[in-house]
């Protein structure tokens, strides 16, 4: 490392050799995780190959799971005695603090009952509204005006873009437990380099929606099934700047959303069917990863997962390996869809567009359709009056 100011004389070219990692260095987090994971492996834990921050210990019929995020750790298990023994061994080797039952983790609030688990970011949301001075704003029923199209050349450029960038950055983290705002935040984040007044107005519209639903989150019932269900969708060439399509998918475990994503496609699709087919490929990659995670958790890998798509042509392309004329220009990696269908992992199914949950990730919908699809994703607001 470079010596601190005043340590070396003028003209000297010396460095300091580190014997141990210092807090704040870029290597510190990696060295800490290496030390922690080595200790957990010595305790008998196995490290998940699907998610290296997940550790598992299986003894007879008992199981213990540890999830690590830097120096924040969640421990859960099916045997109280074994769980306490693991916590004691960790405390003996590291300076740790047991803060009890999980209630707050990385800005996510956790509420529990005998039958349900509820995850939300209410405090984080209220902090954003308070910082923006919109705690007294009139609430909105949906996050973005229907069919609104924003570009980087509309409106007056903001004189102070830093506040817009800070706001959108905070909203990005809010999407961790708010899939209903993912599409809007995705649109707003495309104009960080040169935000305009119209972009700020759209961000304030989103804040008005959050004002009406600050405690909205995900309800996880104890009786939910372990059946995976996937929805994928794509708009076609909707971006006015690049004419690229946007991929969106949502994966449910029973009735609980566990994975969702929205991303602009890397190439311009020549048809709606091609855009939908690419969306299916992205969703399948996530389903493949989830199947590996199921195996690491000791669960049976899912088979014939329903994958709902509202485009019949894309379903025909996926099922017909000789549909050459319409697919010869599509990259080879997209044809993972056909491979997974032949292996029996997926069962592509046609769904009406009005019931396509993934529409909420690719389009700015009206109030009625937005509220309908949001209810199908298992999103609840326990803080709202019944």
């Amino acid at each position: 490392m470079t010596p601190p100011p005043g340590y070396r004389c003028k003209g000297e070219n010396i460095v300091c050799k580190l014997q141990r990692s210092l807090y704040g260095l870029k290597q510190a987090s990696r060295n800490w995780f290496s030390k922690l994971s080595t200790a957990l492996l010595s305790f008998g834990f196995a490290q998940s190959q699907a998610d290296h921050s997940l550790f598992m210990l299986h003894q007879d019929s008992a199981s213990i799971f540890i999830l690590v995020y830097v120096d924040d750790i969640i421990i859960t298990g099916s045997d109280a005695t074994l769980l306490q023994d693991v916590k004691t061994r960790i405390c003996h080797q590291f300076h740790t603090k047991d803060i009890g039952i999980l209630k707050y983790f990385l800005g996510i609030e956790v509420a529990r009952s005998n039958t349900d688990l509820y995850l939300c970011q209410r405090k984080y949301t209220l902090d954003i509204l308070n910082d923006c001075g919109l705690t007294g704003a009139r609430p909105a029923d949906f996050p973005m005006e229907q069919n609104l199209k924003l570009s980087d050349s509309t409106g007056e450029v903001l004189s102070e873009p830093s506040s817009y960038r800070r706001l959108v950055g905070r909203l990005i983290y809010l999407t961790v437990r708010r899939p209903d705002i993912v599409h809007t935040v995705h649109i707003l984040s495309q104009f960080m380099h040169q935000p305009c007044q119209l972009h700020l107005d759209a961000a304030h519209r989103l804040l008005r929606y959050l004002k009406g639903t600050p405690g909205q989150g995900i309800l996880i019932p104890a009786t939910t099934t372990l059946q995976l269900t996937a929805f994928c969708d794509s708009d076609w060439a909707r971006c006015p700047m690049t004419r690229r399509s946007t991929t969106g998918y949502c994966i449910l475990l029973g009735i609980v959303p566990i994975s969702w994503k929205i991303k602009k496609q890397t190439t311009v699709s020549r048809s709606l069917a091609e855009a939908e087919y690419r969306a299916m490929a992205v969703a399948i990659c996530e389903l493949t990863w989830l199947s590996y995670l199921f195996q690491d958790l000791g669960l049976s890998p899912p088979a014939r997962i329903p994958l709902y798509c509202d485009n019949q042509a894309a379903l025909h392309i996926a099922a017909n390996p000789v549909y050459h004329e319409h697919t010869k220009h599509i990259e080879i990696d997209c044809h993972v869809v056909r491979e997974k269908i032949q292996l029996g992992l997926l069962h592509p199914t046609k769904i009406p567009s009005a019931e396509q949950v993934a529409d909420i990730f690719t389009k700015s919908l009206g109030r009625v359709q937005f509220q309908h699809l949001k209810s199908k994703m298992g999103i609840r607001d326990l803080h709202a009056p019944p």
Side-chain angles (χ1 to χ4, degrees), residues 1-17:
M1 61 171 288
T2 303
Y7 180 79
R8 59 185 177 184
C9 299
K10 184 177 181 180
E12 288 184 339
N13 187 19
I14 59 176
V15 296
C16 296
K17 180 181 179 181

Side-chain angles (χ1 to χ4, degrees), residues 13-120:
N13 187 19
I14 59 176
V15 296
C16 296
K17 180 181 179 181
L18 285 175
Q19 301 295 336
R20 301 176 65 181
S21 181
L22 294 178
Y23 184 83
L25 295 179
K26 62 180 181 180
Q27 300 91 343
S29 58
R30 180 178 181 87
N31 291 341
W32 155 248
F33 184 76
S34 177
K35 182 179 178 67
L36 177 62
S37 59
T38 301
L40 293 177
L41 293 176
S42 67
F43 297 163
F45 279 85
Q47 189 173 18
S48 170
Q49 296 303 309
D51 187 346
H52 286 187
S53 61
L54 175 64
F55 296 84
M56 305 147 295
L57 174 64
H58 301 287
Q59 287 188 4
D60 300 327
S61 59
S63 297
I64 302 294
F65 301 97
I66 294 180
L67 189 63
V68 179
Y69 184 85
V70 192
D71 57 353
D72 295 314
I73 303 174
I74 298 177
I75 305 178
T76 186
S78 59
D79 187 277
T81 303
L82 181 59
L83 185 63
Q84 184 59 45
D85 178 63
V86 170
K87 290 164 62 176
T88 302
R89 298 179 68 177
I90 293 176
C91 291
H92 283 168
Q93 189 156 348
F94 301 97
H95 295 290
T96 59
K97 181 180 179 181
D98 185 1
I99 58 177
I101 297 176
L102 180 64
K103 296 181 179 178
Y104 196 78
F105 186 75
L106 302 178
I108 301 173
E109 301 170 46
V110 182
R112 68 179 66 237
S113 67
N114 293 331
T115 58
D116 302 304
L117 192 68
Y118 185 69
L119 307 177
C120 70

Side-chain angles (χ1 to χ4, degrees), residues 3-273:
Y7 180 79
R8 59 185 177 184
C9 299
K10 184 177 181 180
E12 288 184 339
N13 187 19
I14 59 176
V15 296
C16 296
K17 180 181 179 181
L18 285 175
Q19 301 295 336
R20 301 176 65 181
S21 181
L22 294 178
Y23 184 83
L25 295 179
K26 62 180 181 180
Q27 300 91 343
S29 58
R30 180 178 181 87
N31 291 341
W32 155 248
F33 184 76
S34 177
K35 182 179 178 67
L36 177 62
S37 59
T38 301
L40 293 177
L41 293 176
S42 67
F43 297 163
F45 279 85
Q47 189 173 18
S48 170
Q49 296 303 309
D51 187 346
H52 286 187
S53 61
L54 175 64
F55 296 84
M56 305 147 295
L57 174 64
H58 301 287
Q59 287 188 4
D60 300 327
S61 59
S63 297
I64 302 294
F65 301 97
I66 294 180
L67 189 63
V68 179
Y69 184 85
V70 192
D71 57 353
D72 295 314
I73 303 174
I74 298 177
I75 305 178
T76 186
S78 59
D79 187 277
T81 303
L82 181 59
L83 185 63
Q84 184 59 45
D85 178 63
V86 170
K87 290 164 62 176
T88 302
R89 298 179 68 177
I90 293 176
C91 291
H92 283 168
Q93 189 156 348
F94 301 97
H95 295 290
T96 59
K97 181 180 179 181
D98 185 1
I99 58 177
I101 297 176
L102 180 64
K103 296 181 179 178
Y104 196 78
F105 186 75
L106 302 178
I108 301 173
E109 301 170 46
V110 182
R112 68 179 66 237
S113 67
N114 293 331
T115 58
D116 302 304
L117 192 68
Y118 185 69
L119 307 177
C120 70
Q121 294 173 280
R122 185 173 186 271
K123 181 181 181 301
Y124 186 80
T125 303
L126 294 176
D127 289 342
I128 296 177
L129 293 172
N130 184 58
D131 290 346
C132 295
L134 293 177
T135 53
R138 184 181 66 181
D141 294 331
F142 49 101
M144 179 176 278
E145 296 181 14
Q146 187 175 9
N147 298 323
L148 176 64
K149 291 186 179 182
L150 298 174
S151 67
D152 55 2
S153 60
T154 56
E156 181 183 355
V157 178
L158 296 178
S159 58
E160 292 291 337
S162 58
S163 59
Y164 177 88
R165 293 165 182 163
R166 182 173 182 270
L167 172 59
V168 174
R170 301 182 72 181
L171 291 173
I172 289 174
Y173 187 69
L174 189 58
T175 60
V176 171
R177 283 294 169 266
R178 293 293 299 263
D180 53 323
I181 67 171
V182 171
H183 171 68
T184 305
V185 175
H186 169 76
I187 297 297
L188 297 176
S189 63
Q190 298 181 41
F191 310 107
M192 303 278 272
H193 62 290
Q194 192 178 21
C196 300
Q197 185 60 45
L198 289 178
H199 307 146
L200 184 60
D201 293 342
H204 286 168
R205 168 60 184 260
L206 174 58
L207 293 177
R208 288 174 48 214
Y209 169 71
L210 295 176
K211 170 64 169 56
T213 58
Q216 191 166 266
I218 297 175
L219 181 67
I220 307 176
T223 56
T224 187
T225 65
L226 298 180
Q227 173 62 44
L228 289 176
T229 306
F231 298 84
C232 67
D233 188 47
S234 177
D235 66 345
W236 181 42
R238 186 170 292 246
C239 178
M241 299 170 290
T242 63
R243 307 307 296 174
R244 294 181 183 178
S245 306
T246 301
T247 291
Y249 68 77
C250 179
I251 300 175
L252 307 181
L253 181 65
I255 60 173
V256 181
I258 61 172
S259 180
W260 53 85
K261 187 175 183 179
I262 175 174
K263 185 177 182 181
K264 190 180 294 184
Q265 295 181 0
T266 57
T267 59
V268 178
S269 297
R270 298 179 61 188
S271 65
L272 175 59

